[in-house]
Amino acid sequence: MKTTIVGVSGYAGQVLAQLVARHPSLEVAAVQGHESAGETLGAAVPGMPKELARMVIEPLGSEFGDADVVLLALPHGASQALAPRLLDEGKVVVDLGADFRFGDEASYEAWYGSRHQAVELLGHRVYGLVEVHRKELPGARLIAVPGCYVTAASLALWPLVARSLIGNDLVVVDGYSGVSGAGKGLKPTSHFVSVNENLSAYGLLNHRHTGEMEMNLGRKVLFTPHLAPISRGILSTSYAVPEQMNSPMTGEQLLTMYREVYAGSAFVRISEHPPGTREVLGTNTIAIYPIYDPRTNRYVVISALDNLVKGAAGQAIQALNVAQGWPEELGLDQIGVWP
């Protein structure tokens, strides 16, 4: 399928280019970018195959021609202006931004502070958290890729939600992200001198991924994100209170339950130790370690993923694979980087 990547100037768009280039059923037909328009793809994304490295990056908003699939890696607010036109032209749209993550207008406006410009499409989008919504994806033409923090916390807690093992109490999530999660644009808080040798919290009480977590988990969430002095990766620690009617699951029983829930999920690894971000670097895998603390009566679930792959571009390709009826792992067989 001929594929156009919109937003290749950003980190997620650059990883999309890398993944599409190695995907046996996708062809990079065109790339569009803002800051890098006019440059070659090889200059913007080092290591591209020679035939693609010479491709010139077109300005945002250029014609989409005969593309079958359009991958949108744009800031929130931009995709909703493009999606109606693309869908009318018969293209499959995969949006890595926030514009179609919520299924209703009110939730989008509450968390993003602006009116949605393509409300008529919200009821037609399929949410691309594959491990939870796999059955809804076949044939999807508008796929909304979840946020990176959201993926880490939602997949960490989903087995407890699916098996009704936690009550309706507040869920607490602490997340730590590499600097690439802040985007490519320079900000005072993401300069080397601000990030190096430093760990800081941000987005207190109102981070936009909170609403998406609440949508997925069906519970109030207190989410605190932190910026870590690493290039890429997310580590999330989530806390939930057990449902009172039954005894909490512990030890091997808890691990077994998680493995059962994710038995058909190639990109979920249930770990027997707390995972670190280096374990999943460059892969579409999320590593999850659940444990129960009897002293505080809390489930504690630690999860790690690469924010640019499983948290963005890789998850987009994974969802597209399922939507097209291809093997879920197609083009996503990276084994990671270690040491």
Side-chain angles (χ1 to χ4, degrees), residues 212-233:
E212 203 178 336
M213 292 179 192
E214 293 183 344
M215 175 184 72
N216 291 339
L217 301 173
R219 289 153 177 82
K220 286 289 184 183
V221 174
L222 175 59
F223 170 52
T224 304
H226 302 76
L227 185 62
I230 58 176
S231 295
R232 55 201 287 180

Side-chain angles (χ1 to χ4, degrees), residues 44-98:
V45 189
M48 294 297 293
K50 289 182 180 179
E51 64 275 11
L52 292 177
R54 294 189 290 268
M55 181 178 288
V56 176
I57 299 173
E58 302 172 1
L60 291 178
S62 300
E63 291 301 313
F64 294 93
D66 58 354
D68 303 299
V69 178
V70 178
L71 304 173
L72 301 174
L74 298 169
H76 75 270
S79 295
Q80 56 194 272
L82 291 173
R85 164 192 164 193
L86 295 171
L87 292 169
D88 284 345
E89 293 176 1
K91 305 182 189 307
V92 174
V93 177
V94 184
D95 182 23
L96 279 71

Side-chain angles (χ1 to χ4, degrees), residues 11 15 24 188 223 325:
Y11 292 131
V15 176
F223 170 52

